[in-house]
Amino acid sequence: MKKIAIIMGSDSDLPIVKKAIDTLVEFGVPHEVHVFSAHRTPEESALFSKSARENGFGAIIAAAGMAAHLAGAIAANTTLPVVGIPVSSNNMGGIDALLSTVQMPSGIPVATVAVNGASNAALLCIQMLAIEDSELAAALNAKRQKDRETVLKKNAAVEEEFNK
């Protein structure tokens, strides 16, 4: 199975990124976690991105806040799928990071999840790997069914309480 790389622009993003790590662990997907900055370590982030495919990665998650250029900088140096996580900051609530991540020029795509949407970033990468992995696809289907059952139980409890 291919690995998923998780790169964050700063270790201050780790509380958000941890949700992606936990999701990958839940599904048994191998992964690596790194701190590279688009601005402070551009050579290292470029080198990692350029060699990611030959190093066994299938996709890259890039999390950054404020001047969130990390996902774009990563995507500029690889043809692997890149999923950006815009991370919320105190200044603009993450809208700055969202716009920086989602506004990519033609030819350099970055899939972007919601602000702080690390779990969905991991799930999107897992779905990509599941295209070729039937066991992973089955695990995704099982999670969807479990989530469905959880919502239906909550619905039954609300109906019981309020629809008398």
Side-chain angles (χ1 to χ4, degrees):
M1 178 184 307
K2 298 280 186 185
K3 300 181 286 186
I4 302 298
I6 302 174
I7 302 173
M8 62 192 112
S10 168
D11 66 347
S12 65
D13 300 328
L14 189 55
I16 299 300
V17 168
K18 183 81 168 67
K19 296 171 188 170
I21 296 167
D22 292 346
T23 302
L24 293 172
V25 168
E26 175 187 347
F27 281 88
V29 174
H31 56 280
E32 289 183 12
V33 183
H34 301 276
V35 176
F36 294 127
S37 167
H39 303 105
R40 295 179 298 256
T41 59
E43 294 87 8
E44 290 80 0
S45 64
L47 180 62
F48 183 90
S49 304
K50 288 176 182 177
S51 62
R53 185 180 299 276
E54 59 247 25
N55 287 330
F57 292 95
I60 301 172
I61 296 170
M66 296 176 65
H69 300 120
L70 183 60
I74 297 292
N77 288 293
T78 186
T79 56
L80 288 174
V82 175
V83 179
I85 304 170
V87 177
S88 180
S89 65
N90 292 333
N91 297 338
M92 302 179 87
I95 194 73
D96 52 338
L98 175 63
L99 294 175
S100 295
T101 306
V102 78
Q103 293 291 347
M104 292 301 300
S106 181
I108 308 294
V110 170
T112 307
V113 295
V115 173
N116 297 340
S119 182
N120 271 353
L123 286 169
L124 183 56
C125 290
I126 293 166
Q127 288 176 328
M128 289 178 212
L129 296 181
I131 292 169
E132 298 286 327
D133 186 325
S134 60
E135 288 181 25
L136 206 49
L140 283 165
N141 285 333
K143 180 184 180 356
R144 290 274 178 104
Q145 183 61 30
K146 181 180 174 189
D147 291 350
R148 177 182 178 274
E149 291 168 4
T150 299
V151 170
L152 291 175
K153 285 179 185 175
K154 290 177 182 180
N155 176 61
V158 168
E159 286 179 353
E160 176 66 26
E161 182 174 349
F162 296 105
N163 298 344
K164 295 180 179 181

